[in-house]
Amino acid sequence: FSLDMIEFTLSQHADVFEQVPAFQRALGGRLCALLMTNLRGWDTNAFEAEAASVAERRLVLRVVGTIVRKFNRVLATECEIFLTTLLRSLEGEMAPWLRSYILEVLRGLALDKDILLFLHDTYDMNSGSAPVYHDVVLILARIVQAGMAPQPDSGVDDILGAVSVLFRSKSQGVDMVPEPDDGAGHIAYAVFLSLEAMLGAAHSVAALADRAVEGRTSDGGGPGAG
């Protein structure tokens, strides 16, 4: 319940936290510290978990996602740590439901072009930071590629068909989220989330390409220059 309230308050009243230094300190020094400790303490190899634990982890991830979306400029360091922690966890084995819930966070970021461009400019263009934008796009592409390959042991007879059903449901305003114990369903759901996120990320890639072209043109390096 408290995590629900925190997530609601942060998402609906972000301007208050941005304007009041004491609230910013509480966010960075207390809430973010607690969330980081929570994330690092997870046993991602625990394929089975009690319903209460599953719900709590999903709420933790929702709060993390809200912080990254709403407070990335005032909590840039904390957001970098959150994202690198989540991305590293996706590189290993984990419960299908947990992978899906982490991908829900990344999808929320990837569908916002401005946030992705912020990640690129703040982290990837800074030699002292992790290439967060690059790593987000790369892990999404890997999951899509792996999901499209035949997976006889996944329990999903037709992953493409299952993903198509999820997209059709989404177009009708219905989000079909599998139950935590539906491992096969979460495999398809993870591919769906990653594919949707990749489609969103394409807008940021196009924007970066436009920037590069504009930069060459302004430097006198456009077509026909020289």
Side-chain angles (χ1 to χ4, degrees), residues 23-24 29 39 49 53 64 73 80 97 103 118 120 130 143 155 206 224 226:
F23 284 171
Q24 288 185 27
L39 287 176
S53 175
V64 168
R73 297 185 185 279
E80 180 182 6
W97 56 266
L103 288 170
F118 171 83
H120 175 271
I143 292 173

Side-chain angles (χ1 to χ4, degrees), residues 91-186:
E91 294 175 354
E93 292 293 324
M94 65 170 57
W97 56 266
L98 182 54
R99 183 178 299 276
S100 291
Y101 296 158
I102 293 174
L103 288 170
E104 285 180 338
V105 175
L106 298 186
R107 176 187 61 174
L109 303 178
L111 294 178
D112 189 320
K113 182 187 72 174
D114 292 335
I115 288 181
L116 281 187
L117 291 176
F118 171 83
L119 297 182
H120 175 271
D121 295 344
T122 304
Y123 306 121
D124 294 58
M125 298 300 290
N126 184 346
S127 60
S129 298
V132 176
Y133 174 87
H134 168 274
D135 290 348
V136 167
V137 175
L138 182 62
I139 196 70
L140 292 173
R142 285 178 175 172
I143 292 173
V144 171
Q145 183 179 31
M148 296 302 181
Q151 299 186 43
D153 299 327
S154 69
V156 185
D157 295 329
D158 181 7
I159 288 184
L160 283 177
V163 171
S164 297
V165 170
L166 290 169
F167 271 109
R168 282 199 300 271
S169 298
K170 182 68 178 287
S171 69
Q172 297 168 1
V174 179
D175 283 320
M176 295 178 59
V177 181
E179 293 296 323
D181 59 356
D182 183 3
H186 274 287

Side-chain angles (χ1 to χ4, degrees), residues 19-41:
Q19 295 168 8
V20 180
F23 284 171
Q24 288 185 27
R25 289 193 295 271
L27 268 180
R30 301 187 64 179
L31 180 58
C32 287
L34 288 171
L35 292 171
M36 289 173 192
T37 300
N38 191 300
L39 287 176
R40 289 168 174 166

Side-chain angles (χ1 to χ4, degrees), residues 27-93:
L27 268 180
R30 301 187 64 179
L31 180 58
C32 287
L34 288 171
L35 292 171
M36 289 173 192
T37 300
N38 191 300
L39 287 176
R40 289 168 174 166
W42 286 359
D43 179 6
T44 56
N45 291 318
F47 276 57
E48 296 183 4
E50 296 180 358
S53 175
V54 172
E56 179 187 345
R57 292 189 185 190
R58 195 177 190 191
L59 277 173
V60 167
L61 289 168
R62 280 174 50 190
V63 175
V64 168
T66 297
I67 289 174
V68 176
R69 290 196 313 274
K70 298 288 187 178
F71 303 98
N72 47 62
R73 297 185 185 279
V74 296
L75 297 172
T77 299
E78 290 82 356
C79 289
E80 180 182 6
I81 295 172
F82 281 140
L83 290 171
T84 53
T85 299
L86 295 180
L87 290 168
R88 277 198 303 269
S89 70
L90 286 172
E91 294 175 354
E93 292 293 324

